Structures are given as structure tokens and as C-alpha cells.
């Protein structure tokens, strides 16, 4: 480092100061993974040098951002924070086209924009971009990495943080590392879990589960079953098998090899230097394999996260990790920590919002907010109504049993309800990974279609706004899947693309619909009602100091149809009430007697007398500033 002519004395001083603060946790986390190795201290040295090399290449404006963020309250817990997520090609066509939508992002009120994977990936089915062939190149059809860096700069100038995926459980089988491994390069064979025959794969598959059985059974794939590994002579098949948890073209990386950690740390920091302020860590629960286990959420997963976090703290401390761990609620929270992932999707709140909309009963959702909402200091949830992915019912069976709900049967009901198979359902969803024998599946569909906009637009608009009212008010970053705010419906043509036809998730990834967006200011249209309603929530949220931070206090409404919770401020509280019933519901004055009678309804900025109780229209919500009786 002292001999590195790229660095100024100031750079050396800054990096040395960070090293002093973070080296202990870097060593501790790396030791938990690689400690028994005789070359352990070489592993530590290489990690520090990887961070140093990235730091000296980091653009000055990003170094300035690192300095500005040091010591600040986390920006992501601010009531100003609002997120949006989209595919570049679906929403803007190209990066150049997306750049033209920056004024719209400002109009909507975004401070956080997540671009779904836009890297080079195999032609045809690439799992929506999650099979990465190069982390350092953008898909040429979308633009270039230089354009992405410039886009990040333009977003930053408008107060919008760029969010990118870091797909670090696996690479595409067409990645240069995978191609070398398939060709027999021993260095790169050790980058993956490759075995010469079925002996070890059979042992691992005794305890692992199949994620996409329609693609391949088990978790291993023949190396020569994909283009990267296809033998030149088909009469001489390759006997090797490679771990591929998700799809046969996604080869799992072998983090027991420290060279994989160093290589992926360098890729991560490269993306940080392009201007990403948040990196979504994809499939984080799967990155460590342990024989005899499920190979999900193993203890060393958390050690690896802490190591990646420490390296990033040395090179690009403004960058925040977001966990994508769609696992049991008890496991999700283990990823949420300032030294692992300061942000995490909130899959439990998402799933139970849909559950309450189907059942018109808030019992499970209220219990989750009361018992499972809190996160460690310096962290926050990303609260979403839906994502690019399918909806699965990730609630705890024990939580359900405590409330008298048969979890297995309830999941079957929810699948039937949201795929339109249940009598009286309003939903127009599509089953994903459907198993007719067991009734197991997951659910796909845009928010508008799942909530019935095609057939009953009035109630559907109210349901959409109700669902988003929770994301906007429960604490953390509310995340809008772009298109939801304009009421976009399912893509009726999704199956016509042969690359998408076997993946029902494309039904809820429609192309940008100019007609829907052109009507967003027409308050007599469903698009105008939805856009105006969501935009209004954002404005009220920003003007409400009680929505700062993440603290939430439960509130019992004495009716199973109305959810209640409180967001405390310095001198007052915002009481949030949400009616999931198809009928008006009344919260009595007695129920509200713990507050002084005079309240303010925030959306209307109107006075309310709580002694007479509160009437909530069907699918209605109210945010009330109240003062607790001391």
C-alpha cells in the first residue's frame, strides 16, 4: 500500500483509519470460515488488498459520498425514503430510455431505484437475468457499464440511490469461470461444487430440497448438459456433476475456496464503484453447503456476510447490503444486522398482507407486527406489496397454530384463492410450480390483477391503496414495483415468448404501458385514483415526523377485520387503522379512550373527535395524529 503510486497521502490515511476500525471483525469473520487453513493470514491479507485496490480506483464523488454518510443517521430509515423497482427493458427499453424517465421518478417521489439484473446473461431463459455471465458488463441490448455509471451519477444528483443486484450464490454456466471449469481447468473447477460422479451429489441430496423441480430434479446437473460443458464428442459424455440449486444453467459457487470469496469481493466492489448505493444480495441463504444439512441458512452464511460487509466498509462504506432471504421468519431476522445486511425484504409482512386481504381477518398480520417487526438499531425493513418474484406463504406454522389456523390447509386455500379457484375470489392470479396432487404452488400476478381490477375496479382500487398504506406506514423503506402505481394488469401475452413460456412469473412483469401512465393525472380513471392515492401517501409520510425511524407499537382494535398500530413521535403518536373487510367497520370510542379526544386525520388535515369512535369504510385506512392519555 505504501508503494502504490495511485494513492495520495490522504487516501492512505483514510484507508488506514478504516482498517483500524474494521480489521478485527474482518479477521474474526474470515477465521470462522477459513481459520483452519494453514494459509489463513494470506486470506486476510488478500481481502485487505482487494479492498485497497477498489478504494484507490473509487471515483472521487463516491469517496465524497462515503465521507458524507459517515456518522449520519441511516438515510434508509428516514420518512423521505421511498423505493421503486423495475426491469430496465420492461420500463425504459434501454438505459438511455430509462434515463428519460428520471423526471417521472422525481414526480412519484422516489429516493431509491432498484434495477433488476441487467448484466450479460445467456440468451433465452436466464431466470430473469439472475444467471450472470459477467458482473462487469451490461447486457449489450440495454447499454454499457459506462452508461450505467453515468445513470447512477444522474440519479444521485436528483437524490435517488441506485440499487443493483449482486447475484453471489451462483454464476451463469456461460461465465468465464464456468467455461474454464467445464474445460477442465483445475483452478476454476474449484470455484464450483463439481464432482467426478454421483457419489457426493447423492449424499448431499439426501437432505437438500428441490427449488425448481420442473427444471431439474435434485440440486445437481450434469456438467455436459449445458452449453458451457457440452462434450466435443457426444459419444464421450462428461461424467461430472455440478451443484445448481435453482436452474441447470446457474452453477453454485464454492465459498469453501477462499479464492471464490476474493473474486466475488472484487466483483461486488466493482459494482459499488459504478455508483450502486445498495446491493441486493440474491439467494443469500444458499451460499454455504454443509453435508448432512439442508444447505440453507448455515451459520457460515452469516460469517461470510460479515466478511463481505467488512471488506465493503474498508473500500466503499456508503454501500448498504439488502438481504433477499425468503425463509422462515425466525431465520429472516438473523440476516438483519449492521454488520451483515442493514436492509432486508420483509417477506412476512408482504405475505400476511395478502393473507388478510383474502380472509378479511387481520389476526396473523397483527401478531406478526406485534412480535416480529422489530429490527436491530441501524437497520430497517424494505416493505413491499409484491416483487418480480412469485408470492409464497412464508408465515410460521407455529404462529398459525397458536391462532387456531391449520397452516398446510390455509396455504392451500390461499393458493386457490389467488389463482381464482376458490368460490368468490376476486383474484386473477396464475399458479407457479403448481402441483395438482398436493395443491402446493406459488402465486403470480400484478397487484392490480391479484386484487381484481379487471372485474371489480372500484373495490380493487381500494384494496390496492390499502395494501400500499401498510408498506408506507409500518417503518422502513416502502417499495413500489413500478407499474403498480398505474394499475398495470397481468401481461396477457406472456406465454407467447418461448423464453418465458415456462415461467409464470413473467405474467406480472408487463412492459411499460404508456396509456396507463398517460392517465395517471385523470382522477376519474382507475389509474388516476391509484397514482393519486399512492402519491398522496408519500406526501403525507414525508410531512409526518412520527414516521421517522422504524419503531412500531401494536394497537388492538377489538375487531378481527381492522388492523391497528402506532408510530410514536416526540410529543404525539400516529395511530394507523386499516379495514380489511368488504364492509364498513367501527372502532369504538371506548377502544380509543387511551388517547385524548382531539385527533387529526392526516390525509385531510382535519380534526376528529375520538369520543364518537371512528368509522372505516370498506378497505379504508386512516392515519390519525393522537396524544396518549398520560
Amino acid at each position: 500500500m505504501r508503494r502504490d503510486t495511485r494513492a495520495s497521502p490522504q487516501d492512505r490515511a483514510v484507508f488506514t483509519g478504516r482498517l483500524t476500525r474494521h480489521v478485527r471483525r474482518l479477521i474474526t469473520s474470515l477465521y470462522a470460515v477459513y481459520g483452519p487453513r494453514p494459509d489463513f493470514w494470506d486470506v486476510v491479507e488478500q481481502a485487505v488488498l482487494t479492498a485497497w485496490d477498489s478504494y484507490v480506483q473509487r471515483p472521487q464523488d463516491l469517496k465524497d459520498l462515503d465521507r458524507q454518510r459517515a456518522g449520519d443517521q441511516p438515510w434508509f430509515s428516514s420518512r423521505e425514503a421511498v423505493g421503486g423497482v423495475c426491469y430496465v427493458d420492461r420500463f425504459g427499453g434501454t438505459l438511455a430510455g430509462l434515463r428519460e424517465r428520471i423526471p417521472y421518478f422525481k414526480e412519484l417521489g422516489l429516493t431509491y431505484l432498484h434495477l433488476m439484473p441487467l448484466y450479460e446473461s445467456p440468451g433465452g431463459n436466464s431466470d430473469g437475468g439472475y444467471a450472470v455471465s459477467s458482473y462487469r458488463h451490461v447486457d449489450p441490448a440495454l447499454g454499457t457499464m459506462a452508461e450505467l455509471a453515468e445513470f447512477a451519477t444522474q440519479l444521485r444528483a436528483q437524490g435517488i440511490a441506485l440499487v443493483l443486484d449482486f447475484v453471489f450464490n451462483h454464476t451463469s454456466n456461460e461465465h468465464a469461470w464456468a467455461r474454464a471449469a467445464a474445460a477442465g481447468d483445475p483452478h476454476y473447477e474449484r470455484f464450483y461444487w463439481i464432482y467426478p460422479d454421483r457419489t457426493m451429489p447423492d449424499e448431499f441430496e439426501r437432505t437438500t430440497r428441490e427449488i425448481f423441480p420442473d427444471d431439474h430434479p435434485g440440486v445437481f446437473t450434469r456438467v455436459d448438459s449445458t452449453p458451457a460443458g457440452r462434450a466435443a464428442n457426444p459419444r464421450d459424455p462428461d461424467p461430472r456433476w455440478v451443484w445448481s440449486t435453482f436452474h441447470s444453467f446457474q452453477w453454485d459457487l464454492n465459498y469453501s475456496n477462499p479464492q471464490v470469496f476474493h473474486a466475488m469481493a472484487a466483483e461486488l466492489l466493482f459494482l459499488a464503484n459504478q455508483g450502486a448505493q445498495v446491493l441486493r444480495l440474491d439467494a443469500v441463504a444458499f451460499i454455504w453447503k454443509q453435508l448432512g444439512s439442508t444447505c440453507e441458512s448455515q451459520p457460515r452464511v452469516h460469517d461470510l456476510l460479515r466478511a463481505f460487509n467488512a471488506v465493503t466498509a474498508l473500500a466503499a462504506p456508503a454501500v448498504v447490503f439488502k438481504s433477499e432471504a425468503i425463509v422462515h421468519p425466525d431465520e429472516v431476522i438473523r440476516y438483519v444486522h449492521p454488520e451483515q445486511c442493514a436492509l432486508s425484504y420483509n417477506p412476512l409482512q408482504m405475505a400476511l398482507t395478502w393473507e388478510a386481504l383474502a380472509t378479511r381477518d387481520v389476526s396473523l398480520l397483527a401478531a406478526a407486527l406485534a412480535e416480529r417487526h422489530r429490527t436491530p438499531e441501524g437497520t430497517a425493513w424494505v416493505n413491499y406489496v409484491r416483487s418480480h418474484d412469485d408470492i409464497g406463504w412464508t408465515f410460521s406454522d407455529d404462529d398459525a397454530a397458536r391462532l387456531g389456523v391449520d397452516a398446510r390447509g390455509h396455504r392451500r386455500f390461499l393458493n386457490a384463492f389467488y389463482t381464482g379457484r376458490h368460490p368468490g375470489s376476486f383474484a386473477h392470479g396464475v399458479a407457479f410450480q403448481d402441483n395438482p396432487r398436493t395443491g402446493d404452488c406459488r402465486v403470480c400476478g400484478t397487484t392490480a390483477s391479484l386484487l381484481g381490477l379487471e372485474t371489480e375496479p372500484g373495490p380493487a382500487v381500494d384494496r390496492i391503496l390499502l395494501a400500499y398504506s401498510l408498506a408506507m406506514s409500518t417503518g422502513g423503506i416502502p417499495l413500489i414495483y413500478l407499474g403498480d402505481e398505474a394499475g398495470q394488469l397481468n401481461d396477457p401475452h406472456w406465454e407467447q415468448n418461448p423464453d418465458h413460456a415456462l415461467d409464470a412469473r413473467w405474467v406480472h412483469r408487463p412492459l411499460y404501458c404508456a396509456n396507463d401512465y398517460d392517465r395517471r393525472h385523470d382522477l376519474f380513471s382507475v389509474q388516476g385514483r391509484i397514482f393519486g392515492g399512492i402519491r398522496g401517501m408519500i406526501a403525507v409520510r414525508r410531512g409526518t415526523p412520527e414516521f421517522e425511524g422504524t419503531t412500531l407499537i401494536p394497537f388492538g382494535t377489538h375487531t378481527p377485520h381492522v388492523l391497528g398500530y402506532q408510530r410514536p413521535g416526540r410529543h404525539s403518536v400516529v395511530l394507523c387503522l386499516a379495514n380489511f373487510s368488504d364492509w364498513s367497520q367501527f372502532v369504538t370510542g371506548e377502544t380509543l379512550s387511551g388517547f385524548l379526544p382531539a385527533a387529526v386525520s392526516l390525509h385531510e388535515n382535519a380534526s376528529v373527535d375520538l369520543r364518537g369512535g371512528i368509522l372505516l369504510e370498506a378497505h379504508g385506512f386512516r392515519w390519525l395524529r393522537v396524544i396518549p392519555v398520560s
Side-chain angles (χ1 to χ4, degrees):
M1 288 164 53
R2 285 195 297 268
R3 293 192 297 269
D4 196 329
T5 58
R6 298 171 297 172
S8 68
Q10 182 182 8
D11 280 339
R12 293 189 185 89
V14 169
F15 190 85
T16 302
R18 292 177 188 167
L19 190 59
T20 301
R21 290 192 299 275
H22 300 298
V23 70
R24 182 181 295 274
R25 67 186 179 100
L26 175 64
I27 292 171
T28 302
S29 56
L30 288 174
Y31 189 82
V33 182
Y34 304 116
R37 296 177 61 95
D39 62 347
F40 170 69
W41 290 107
D42 294 334
V43 173
V44 174
E45 179 184 21
Q46 183 58 52
V48 173
L49 291 175
T50 297
W52 168 254
D53 189 59
S54 175
Y55 172 67
V56 296
Q57 296 179 61
R58 190 158 170 81
Q60 186 58 51
D61 59 336
L62 295 177
K63 289 180 179 178
D64 293 340
L65 181 66
D66 293 334
R67 186 179 64 255
Q68 292 162 16
R69 292 272 169 83
D72 286 352
Q73 284 289 91
W75 60 269
F76 47 77
S77 61
S78 167
R79 65 185 189 270
E80 298 281 336
V82 177
V85 55
C86 66
Y87 279 96
V88 174
D89 58 335
R90 312 301 280 181
F91 200 78
T94 63
L95 282 169
L98 199 65
R99 187 167 59 243
E100 295 176 3
R101 305 221 191 277
I102 291 177
Y104 171 74
F105 301 145
K106 287 290 290 182
E107 176 192 349
L108 180 57
L110 301 187
T111 63
Y112 160 123
L113 180 64
H114 176 188
L115 303 185
M116 300 300 293
L118 70 170
Y119 313 111
E120 279 190 354
S121 58
N125 183 10
S126 64
D127 190 24
Y130 283 97
V132 177
S133 299
S134 172
Y135 299 91
R136 299 194 179 219
H137 294 91
V138 168
D139 179 346
L142 303 179
T144 66
M145 190 58 73
E147 286 182 279
L148 178 62
E150 178 58 25
F151 182 63
T153 301
Q154 293 170 339
L155 288 177
R156 197 160 57 249
Q158 298 297 321
I160 302 174
L162 176 64
V163 184
L164 296 177
D165 280 87
F166 186 57
V167 185
F168 75 143
N169 175 70
H170 48 260
T171 72
S172 152
N173 62 299
E174 294 186 5
H175 193 287
W177 303 340
R179 288 185 178 277
D185 184 322
H187 175 75
Y188 286 107
E189 277 190 304
R190 291 191 290 272
F191 269 48
Y192 301 93
W193 295 86
I194 294 179
Y195 292 99
D197 54 39
R198 282 294 308 182
T199 302
M200 287 305 298
D202 287 342
E203 288 298 312
F204 275 111
E205 287 180 354
R206 293 180 191 276
T207 53
T208 55
R209 66 185 175 107
E210 296 175 339
I211 305 299
F212 292 134
D214 290 351
D215 182 83
H216 65 97
V219 296
F220 282 85
T221 300
R222 282 281 296 269
V223 168
D224 64 1
S225 69
T226 56
R230 198 154 290 149
N233 182 357
R235 290 176 296 182
D236 183 24
D238 191 324
R240 294 175 298 167
W241 292 79
V242 59
W243 199 310
S244 52
T245 295
F246 297 100
H247 291 285
S248 58
F249 50 81
Q250 293 166 310
W251 291 8
D252 286 36
L253 289 160
N254 180 3
Y255 282 98
S256 68
N257 175 3
Q259 292 305 312
V260 172
F261 173 81
H262 298 317
M264 291 301 284
E267 303 302 276
L268 182 155
L269 296 175
F270 173 82
L271 295 174
N273 281 356
Q274 307 315 301
Q277 295 184 48
V278 179
L279 290 171
R280 173 194 179 274
L281 303 185
D282 178 64
V284 65
F286 294 87
I287 64 172
W288 188 264
K289 326 299 187 191
Q290 185 69 46
L291 188 63
S293 77
T294 62
C295 297
E296 298 178 38
S297 291
Q298 295 301 297
R300 287 185 181 177
V301 169
H302 301 281
D303 297 318
L304 280 166
L305 281 178
R306 282 187 281 267
F308 277 116
N309 186 300
V311 168
T312 304
L314 295 177
V319 173
V320 175
F321 292 168
K322 177 172 65 171
S323 162
E324 190 258 354
I326 312 302
V327 291
H328 188 282
D330 290 338
E331 289 295 328
V332 172
I333 194 62
R334 294 182 59 210
Y335 294 89
V336 187
H337 192 278
E339 294 185 358
Q340 293 189 60
C341 298
L343 293 172
S344 173
Y345 286 109
N346 192 351
L348 182 61
Q349 181 174 311
M350 180 276 296
L352 293 182
T353 297
W354 290 102
E355 187 271 346
L357 286 161
T359 62
R360 286 76 161 178
D361 187 309
V362 302
S363 301
L364 277 171
L365 178 56
L369 290 180
E371 301 167 14
R372 296 186 181 276
H373 185 268
R374 186 175 180 180
T375 65
E377 187 73 23
T379 67
W381 291 119
V382 174
N383 296 311
Y384 61 114
V385 174
R386 69 150 179 129
S387 71
H388 74 289
D389 224 336
D390 53 275
I391 297 172
W393 310 110
T394 60
F395 57 83
S396 163
D397 289 7
D398 292 338
D399 291 353
R402 183 160 44 86
L403 295 170
V405 176
D406 170 46
R408 180 182 176 87
H410 199 49
R411 289 188 177 94
R412 293 186 67 175
F413 156 71
L414 292 168
N415 286 331
F417 186 92
Y418 280 109
T419 55
R421 303 169 182 172
H422 190 274
S425 169
F426 49 69
H428 297 266
V430 177
F432 179 62
Q433 297 287 321
D434 194 9
N435 186 329
R437 181 178 60 82
T438 64
D440 292 337
C441 71
R442 300 194 291 278
V443 173
C444 300
T446 68
T447 297
S449 287
L450 289 174
L451 295 181
L453 193 66
E454 288 94 334
T455 51
E456 43 183 73
V461 169
D462 293 336
R463 294 184 194 111
I464 292 166
L465 296 179
L466 175 64
Y468 268 100
S469 78
L470 268 66
M472 292 285 174
S473 62
T474 45
I477 299 178
L479 183 62
I480 303 166
Y481 192 96
L482 294 176
D484 275 9
E485 80 283 12
Q488 283 198 261
L489 300 174
N490 287 345
D491 181 353
H493 308 297
W494 68 274
E495 289 182 287
Q496 294 178 11
N497 184 331
D499 296 332
H500 301 166
L502 299 180
D503 186 345
R505 291 173 297 179
W506 286 101
V507 75
H508 57 233
R509 302 169 185 172
L511 292 167
Y512 179 90
C513 180
N515 288 337
D516 286 339
Y517 279 93
D518 288 346
R519 302 185 71 186
R520 70 184 184 275
H521 298 306
D522 176 4
L523 298 182
F524 294 99
S525 68
V526 294
Q527 294 85 356
R529 287 186 58 202
I530 296 168
F531 181 83
I534 289 177
R535 186 67 190 88
M537 289 182 215
I538 293 171
V540 172
R541 169 185 161 86
R542 286 188 169 153
T544 304
E546 293 90 341
F547 285 155
E548 198 76 21
T550 60
T551 303
L552 180 147
I553 300 170
F555 180 81
T557 64
H558 300 129
T559 166
H561 306 298
V562 178
L563 180 69
Y565 50 94
Q566 305 168 71
R567 299 296 311 281
R570 183 173 296 180
H571 303 297
S572 59
V573 168
V574 170
L575 173 65
C576 301
L577 301 171
N579 177 18
F580 282 77
S581 171
D582 296 335
W583 306 95
S584 296
Q585 297 292 315
F586 188 67
V587 180
T588 67
E590 182 180 4
T591 298
L592 301 169
S593 62
F595 307 110
L596 295 179
V600 176
S601 181
L602 296 181
H603 276 81
E604 301 86 7
N605 194 26
S607 297
V608 177
D609 189 336
L610 298 182
R611 289 173 293 189
I614 297 292
L615 181 67
L616 292 162
E617 64 276 14
H619 313 124
F621 67 94
R622 300 285 287 277
W623 295 345
L624 301 166
R625 177 170 286 122
V626 297
I627 299 177
V629 175
S630 57

